[in-house]
């Protein structure tokens, strides 16, 4: 049983189980961006880095929405078998919260570091780039729990990696230059942009939406 009074405790238990996967995902995202920047410098193509980052962002952001919708839907479906409610929770928890992680947090983080950031919201400017991934992810979330043991942890790990890469790509694509010289600030922004929204999306949001008489142990 998962009574209403125990939801907060259960959320903290889930967060503790997901923490190693989250740390791994953020670290891999930073390494990925470091390798990308290294090759850009090595090839003398630093000026092309913002353009390349923008193109990659338009791959990683929809991929982030896909993985987020899988994990959010799976986490909710694991505790409550109401299909229509699971669809709403999976869609809102991925599209809305991914925008916070990939766009809003990096945008204001870049501004705080003194970069002339530009606002670019894919769900408004390019909805066709986001909605198909969200729909497929929500549908997949219904099956992944029974198909793969510990599915929410592994999908959360992949989710965090893609989210950290997307957050960094957004900063590089829309205003931040020379990010390696501000690695400390970029790290803090990335951790905040990834950990808070991703854990909110994957764990807290779906569990808080579960009814009080959940029959999952």
């Amino acid at each position: 049983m998962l009574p209403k009074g125990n939801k907060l405790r259960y959320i903290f238990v889930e967060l503790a189980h997901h923490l190693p996967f989250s740390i791994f995902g953020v670290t891999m995202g930073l390494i990925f961006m470091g390798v990308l920047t290294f090759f850009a410098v090595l090839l003398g193509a630093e000026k092309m880095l913002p353009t390349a980052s923008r193109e990659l962002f338009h791959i990683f952001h929809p991929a982030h929405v896909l993985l987020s919708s899988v994990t959010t839907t799976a986490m909710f479906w694991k505790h409550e078998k109401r299909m229509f409610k699971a669809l709403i929770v999976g869609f809102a928890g991925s599209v809305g919260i991914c925008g916070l992680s990939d766009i809003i947090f990096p945008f204001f983080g870049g501004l705080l570091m003194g970069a002339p950031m530009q606002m670019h919201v894919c769900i408004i400017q390019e909805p066709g780039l986001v909605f198909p991934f969200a729909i497929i992810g929500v549908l997949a979330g219904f099956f992944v729990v029974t198909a793969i043991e510990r599915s929410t942890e592994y999908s959360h790990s992949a989710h965090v990696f893609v989210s950290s890469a997307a957050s960094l790509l957004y900063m590089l694509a829309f205003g931040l230059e020379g990010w390696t010289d501000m690695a400390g600030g970029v790290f803090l922004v990335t951790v905040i942009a990834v950990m808070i929204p991703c854990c909110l999306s994957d764990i807290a949001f779906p569990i808080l939406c579960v009814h009080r008489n959940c029959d999952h142990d």
Side-chain angles (χ1 to χ4, degrees), residues 48-126:
M48 296 296 296
L49 193 58
T51 302
S53 298
R54 183 181 298 234
E55 296 301 318
L56 283 173
F57 174 76
H58 286 137
I59 297 298
F60 275 81
H61 179 57
H64 180 196
V65 171
L66 172 68
L67 292 170
S68 177
S69 58
V70 170
T71 309
T72 304
T73 306
M75 181 65 75
F76 179 85
W77 191 248
K78 180 175 168 183
H79 297 287
E80 183 175 342
K81 299 296 191 292
R82 293 187 182 182
M83 184 169 291
F84 183 71
K85 188 176 178 182
L87 288 170
I88 301 243
V89 170
F91 194 84
S94 59
V95 173
I97 297 176
C98 282
L100 288 175
S101 178
D102 294 356
I103 298 169
I104 304 301
F105 278 82
F107 174 80
F108 286 105
L111 290 179
L112 289 173
M113 288 187 286
M117 300 297 295
Q118 305 172 35
M119 178 63 75
H120 179 84
V121 183
C122 293
I123 194 66
I124 296 174
Q125 297 172 260
E126 297 135 346

Side-chain angles (χ1 to χ4, degrees), residues 54-217:
R54 183 181 298 234
E55 296 301 318
L56 283 173
F57 174 76
H58 286 137
I59 297 298
F60 275 81
H61 179 57
H64 180 196
V65 171
L66 172 68
L67 292 170
S68 177
S69 58
V70 170
T71 309
T72 304
T73 306
M75 181 65 75
F76 179 85
W77 191 248
K78 180 175 168 183
H79 297 287
E80 183 175 342
K81 299 296 191 292
R82 293 187 182 182
M83 184 169 291
F84 183 71
K85 188 176 178 182
L87 288 170
I88 301 243
V89 170
F91 194 84
S94 59
V95 173
I97 297 176
C98 282
L100 288 175
S101 178
D102 294 356
I103 298 169
I104 304 301
F105 278 82
F107 174 80
F108 286 105
L111 290 179
L112 289 173
M113 288 187 286
M117 300 297 295
Q118 305 172 35
M119 178 63 75
H120 179 84
V121 183
C122 293
I123 194 66
I124 296 174
Q125 297 172 260
E126 297 135 346
L129 191 67
V130 176
F131 282 109
F133 289 85
I135 293 169
I136 295 299
V138 168
L139 295 177
F142 288 110
F143 302 100
V144 72
V145 172
T146 56
I148 305 174
E149 186 180 0
R150 302 185 71 187
S151 57
T152 56
E153 285 92 342
Y154 288 111
S155 56
H156 178 71
S157 179
H159 174 191
V160 171
F161 162 67
V162 173
S163 175
S164 60
S167 299
L168 278 165
L169 286 166
Y170 184 90
M171 286 190 281
L172 268 63
F174 298 103
L176 185 66
E177 297 181 359
W179 74 276
T180 54
D181 296 329
M182 297 178 283
V186 171
F187 174 74
L188 289 175
V189 170
T190 305
V191 168
I192 294 170
V194 171
M195 296 298 292
I196 295 177
C198 286
C199 288
L200 176 65
S201 171
D202 289 0
I203 302 168
F205 179 69
I207 290 177
L208 288 172
C209 291
V210 170
H211 64 79
R212 64 180 301 174
N213 293 319
C214 167
D215 58 1
H216 181 269
D217 291 335

